[in-house]
Amino acid sequence: MTTIQHWINGTLTQGADTATQPVFNPATGAEQAQVVLGGSAEVDAAVQAASAAFETWSESSLTQRTQVMFAFRQLLVEHEEELGRIISAEHGKTVDDARGEIVRGREVVEFACGLGDVLKGSFSDQVSRGVDVHNFRQPLGVVAGITPFNFPAMVPLWMHPIAIATGNTFILKPSERDPSAANFVADLYQQAGLPDGVFNVVHGGKDAVDAILTHPGIEAVSFVGSTPIAKYVHEQATAHGKRVQALGGAKNHAVVLPDADLEFAANHITAGAYGSAGERCMAVSVAVAVGDAADGVVEVLERKAREVRVGPGDAPGTDMGPLVTKAAQERVENAVATAATQGATVVVDGRGLKVDGHEHGFFTGPSLLDHITTEMDAYKEELFGPVLAIVRADSLDQAIELINANPYGNGTALFTGSGEAARRFQRKIKVGMIGINVPVPVPMSYYSFGGWKDSLIGDSPIHGPEGIRFYTRPKVVTTRWPQPTQQLTAGFNFPTSS
């Protein structure tokens, strides 16, 4: 049985704690590894290593840091297939989907490769007689990331490339459900020439999280996960004087207007709802069918849902793999049962699916629920599984009101052929990321990712310009270099320019 260890100061280590947790293959249901569970001792060891490394890494040249990023980026390209299969084996998503998350994460590395331009400060000459002003940004110190199971490569890549390229050192606490990708990335960093201690991995559960949130040697914490935990992370970390990025849950709506191409819309909504078994914070979980579009949308979505090919993630032709754990499978299937008892029409029922040769895997098929109301649990809860709920609305304005009343505001989409409707939607909707005829509007790495309302706790989105701001602090320098013979009078009044 493989034991997955921590990565601290450039080497694998068991740590002081002997507790472990099983890591399953979701397609077979079989235990395939044990991951060690660290706590305060392991976090402290990582902080000590990262603090020592910060002394030299923060003084390294921008050229040195970007050269490491260029090398790291190339290694991600070369090992994309291997890393994709590691992710698929522990998460359950298809290998193609896993490769997709690696590519999107790599885009953040490419953004970090170009930080030479982004980190340029500004200079103002002669703001007062003989006085100049300039500014620049410096790294914070040791920073940490706490990341979810659903994107074991991409979400950490939203964090550590920018943190490291700006001169910080980093501690990653990945999900204990699929921990191997983090160690694989750590090894790639070492191959890329990153000094030991700059990037560290501590595995564990709540004990490790709490140790990160309270450790005085950690300056900032980035988190992606559910809204209740995001609120907890924000509260605890800020109470201990840390900067916090805390991205929470979602209930993403895709609105379909009567003028939309229903085949096009259904194709993209189906992929957005059932891709990665719905285990995405940007998954389409609600389709809002407006007016005369409703019956036609349901008909096409039913056909598309029944065409989804469910199987193990490494099997050719698979569209959707299993859920990550048995508990997740049971939770999703119970949610479909509850929706039926609350009055929803179960158009497609994915419960009880068995895949030949993988009867003990954590599979459930796509489920499609019609006549969902905002009072039903299937609408109110983030199911995080392959369940698409259909809500019917009379008009675009009613759809906008419905979405704006939802406590989440992560992502949304509108399918239409009307520019006027699209403009009205994107201006009135209270959601952070919007797609027009795009179902999953995850922004490119040079923009920042973050929702509104309960999808973002605090005010710090992730990667892009906000990532630079988050991992650095500004300095403004005012200088005067008087001539040796020049006599300047110092005033006791508050200084003003002249």
Side-chain angles (χ1 to χ4, degrees):
M1 181 66 65
T2 301
T3 299
I4 301 165
Q5 298 181 316
H6 313 292
W7 179 280
I8 297 175
N9 204 26
T11 188
L12 292 171
T13 176
Q14 177 73 26
D17 201 323
T18 58
T20 61
Q21 177 174 309
V23 178
F24 293 94
N25 181 329
T28 64
E31 181 181 339
Q32 60 182 340
Q34 290 277 333
V35 60
V36 297
L37 300 179
S40 57
E42 289 72 27
V43 169
D44 187 63
V47 171
Q48 298 305 318
S51 296
F54 178 73
E55 295 301 317
T56 53
W57 183 247
S58 61
E59 294 297 326
S60 63
S61 69
L62 186 56
T63 298
Q64 179 185 351
R65 284 180 258 143
T66 54
Q67 283 176 344
V68 168
M69 285 297 149
F70 274 110
F72 176 59
R73 184 258 178 207
Q74 183 59 34
L75 288 167
L76 284 173
V77 172
E78 294 171 3
H79 294 276
E80 181 182 300
E81 178 72 17
E82 185 179 359
L83 180 54
R85 291 189 176 277
I86 288 171
I87 293 168
S88 177
E90 291 185 348
H91 174 279
K93 66 176 64 178
T94 68
V95 174
D96 284 345
D97 191 22
R99 285 198 297 255
E101 78 160 274
I102 296 165
V103 171
R104 292 307 304 268
R106 196 173 71 221
E107 291 170 359
V108 181
V109 182
E110 291 163 357
F111 176 71
C113 288
L115 287 193
D117 182 66
V118 179
L119 285 177
K120 286 190 300 187
S122 60
F123 183 90
S124 295
D125 174 69
Q126 198 76 352
V127 298
S128 187
R129 283 177 290 180
V131 176
D132 307 322
V133 176
H134 70 276
N135 71 337
F136 60 98
R137 305 190 72 88
Q138 288 186 309
L140 304 179
V142 180
V143 299
I146 302 167
T147 57
F149 75 88
N150 58 328
F151 289 100
M154 184 183 74
V155 170
L157 283 165
W158 285 354
M159 303 172 184
H160 53 73
I162 296 176
I164 290 170
T166 51
N168 300 279
T169 53
F170 197 89
I171 300 169
L172 173 62
K173 205 301 287 182
S175 171
E176 59 274 28
R177 298 178 190 175
D178 45 10
S180 293
N183 285 18
F184 191 88
V185 166
D187 183 68
L188 294 187
Y189 263 132
Q190 190 173 67
Q191 293 181 47
L194 190 69
D196 293 345
V198 176
F199 181 76
N200 305 274
V201 179
V202 175
H203 300 290
K206 188 176 185 299
D207 287 347
V209 170
D210 287 341
I212 288 170
L213 301 183
T214 59
H215 198 291
I218 295 175
E219 300 292 333
V221 176
S222 301
F223 172 84
V224 176
S226 69
T227 291
I229 305 303
K231 290 180 177 179
Y232 174 80
V233 167
H234 189 271
E235 176 185 343
Q236 292 297 313
T238 54
H240 287 83
K242 306 181 193 312
R243 289 188 180 185
V244 184
Q245 289 172 324
L247 279 66
K251 199 70 179 177
N252 305 312
H253 301 69
V255 179
V256 183
L257 296 187
D259 69 341
D261 181 325
L262 295 189
E263 193 76 15
F264 175 89
N267 265 333
H268 287 274
I269 291 172
T270 299
Y274 304 129
S276 198
E279 294 173 319
R280 298 171 175 166
C281 68
M282 290 292 284
V284 177
S285 55
V286 181
V288 184
V290 176
D292 295 339
D295 289 340
V297 167
V298 174
E299 179 182 346
V300 183
L301 284 174
E302 178 182 1
R303 171 164 50 86
K304 299 294 182 185
R306 296 189 187 281
E307 292 172 353
V308 175
R309 296 165 294 184
V310 182
D314 59 354
T318 297
D319 296 317
M320 189 182 95
L323 291 167
V324 68
T325 62
K326 183 69 174 177
Q329 177 196 38
E330 293 172 349
R331 175 177 49 77
V332 168
E333 296 198 348
N334 288 339
V336 175
T338 300
T341 63
Q342 293 179 342
T345 301
V346 182
V347 179
V348 179
D349 191 342
R351 292 173 293 173
L353 176 70
K354 296 297 180 183
V355 175
D356 290 344
H358 294 77
E359 288 78 11
H360 298 292
F362 309 139
F363 291 96
T364 189
S367 290
L368 181 65
L369 310 176
D370 193 9
H371 301 106
I372 292 290
T373 68
T374 56
E375 291 78 29
M376 294 180 181
D377 291 346
Y379 179 80
K380 293 188 294 185
E381 297 176 2
E382 184 183 20
L383 302 182
F384 226 62
V387 181
L388 177 61
I390 299 171
V391 177
R392 297 174 180 237
D394 294 332
S395 65
L396 174 59
D397 287 338
Q398 186 182 68
I400 291 171
E401 290 175 6
L402 181 146
I403 296 169
N404 287 348
N406 192 278
Y408 296 110
N410 208 43
T412 189
L414 175 69
F415 288 88
T416 182
S418 167
E420 183 280 325
R423 191 172 190 276
R424 182 170 17 134
F425 181 79
Q426 67 194 33
R427 288 185 59 80
K428 289 188 174 183
I429 208 72
K430 296 177 181 177
V431 174
M433 293 171 285
I434 302 163
I436 305 299
N437 297 314
V438 175
V440 184
V442 176
M444 298 298 289
S445 61
Y446 36 84
Y447 286 85
S448 295
F449 181 106
W452 287 17
K453 298 183 284 187
D454 279 355
S455 294
L456 178 69
I457 311 305
D459 61 353
S460 293
I462 206 164
H463 71 59
E466 291 291 338
I468 302 295
R469 183 201 62 79
F470 181 76
Y471 290 122
T472 60
R473 54 169 62 97
K475 280 183 176 178
V476 181
V477 182
T478 304
T479 60
R480 171 188 283 141
W481 299 100
Q483 298 176 12
T485 58
Q486 187 178 9
Q487 296 298 318
L488 297 176
T489 302
F492 285 84
N493 296 327
F494 193 80
T496 59
S497 60
S498 58

